[in-house]
Amino acid sequence: ASDVYKRQALTSGCDQDPPQEPLIRPVLTQLVDIKPYWQESRYAGEVKARYKMALGFRINGKIIERFVEVGDVVEPGALLARLDPQDYNLQLMEAEGGLAAASAEKKKAASDLKRYEQLYKDKVVSATEWQNYSNAFAVANARYKQAEAQVDVARNQTEYTSLHTDKGGVITALDMEVGQVIVAGQTVVNLALPQEKEVVIAVAENRLNEVRYADDIKISLWINPDKFYKGKVREFSPGADPITRTYSVKISLLDADAEVQLGMTTTVLVLEKKQGEVTRLPLTAIYQENNKPAVWVYSDTTSQVHLQPVQVLEYQYDAVLINAGLNQGERVVTAGVHKLVKDQKVRLLQGHEL
């Protein structure tokens, strides 16, 4: 019987599981970077051109050709559209005919005046008769100048049947179609001049001074949120929008490059420098201990984490600002904080250290 008990004891000892290794969790971390405290507000904006042109024909007429579409980039002098020139060509022919007739009358009057001037010198005709021919020449000369001016006007109107742009830019709107009859001065093309760009944002009444007295303004594009441009407030609208009750604010882009295109959506950061220094961490780094905020700090020497109480200055929509409890260069766990325990060993995820 004793042998049986010995065999059972040996068998039960072999069935026991070996001691488990402590779990080493992979974690994401971020280095503490303590900087001066800048209070920031974010606004969505749109890139627009500071200068715009409303183009139209100088004369009445029927549009027979259109050479541009919305979004086209045009160079200075580009042809945008044409009117039917037939009536204006006829007016030019009429004016040129009147000029030819006036020229013939002027030549005849000059010849008569020259002949009678000699007769007057020879005392063949009286001074009154010579004066009559002198007056006739003055009238013919005036009619000739008038006909010249009419030709110039008719020629200009013929040229006005073609609409050109004086400056290069981007076509932002068209209000014309082939076959449409327009009147002189009617706007048919809106042109944005891209040399100077600005961002337009809508600001609530109680935030106007925040923008007006900002210490710095940075602008980023939604397509490239990591790149920032320098901004400067250029203009506040004098009145609020009747629907949204917000004020339009125009911010000049001081260092815009070719990547900034008209119509792009932007994020405008309005920054105000405050007293003190803070470090900015993701919201996921905050852990609660006894209803007080804390973070897990990683030790490079032991590969362990310990809980560190901190003082939170401000909670933001995706981050938290901490102004006490951390030292420059410490490494804080930013994900999975609720699965950690005191002095637990962790492993930094390769390529994910911030």
Side-chain angles (χ1 to χ4, degrees), residues 295-316:
V295 296
W296 290 101
V297 177
Y298 172 81
S299 172
D300 291 325
T301 56
T302 64
S303 298
Q304 294 176 318
V305 293
H306 69 274
L307 202 58
Q308 177 65 41
V310 294
Q311 180 176 317
V312 174
L313 176 65
E314 179 181 333
Y315 287 98
Q316 299 179 339

Side-chain angles (χ1 to χ4, degrees), residues 66-74 169-177 188-191:
R66 192 184 80 183
F67 302 99
V68 292
E69 298 293 341
V70 174
D72 287 352
V73 179
V74 296
V170 180
I171 305 296
T172 58
L174 290 173
D175 190 15
M176 62 174 174
E177 295 293 341
V188 294
V189 178
N190 286 312
L191 182 70

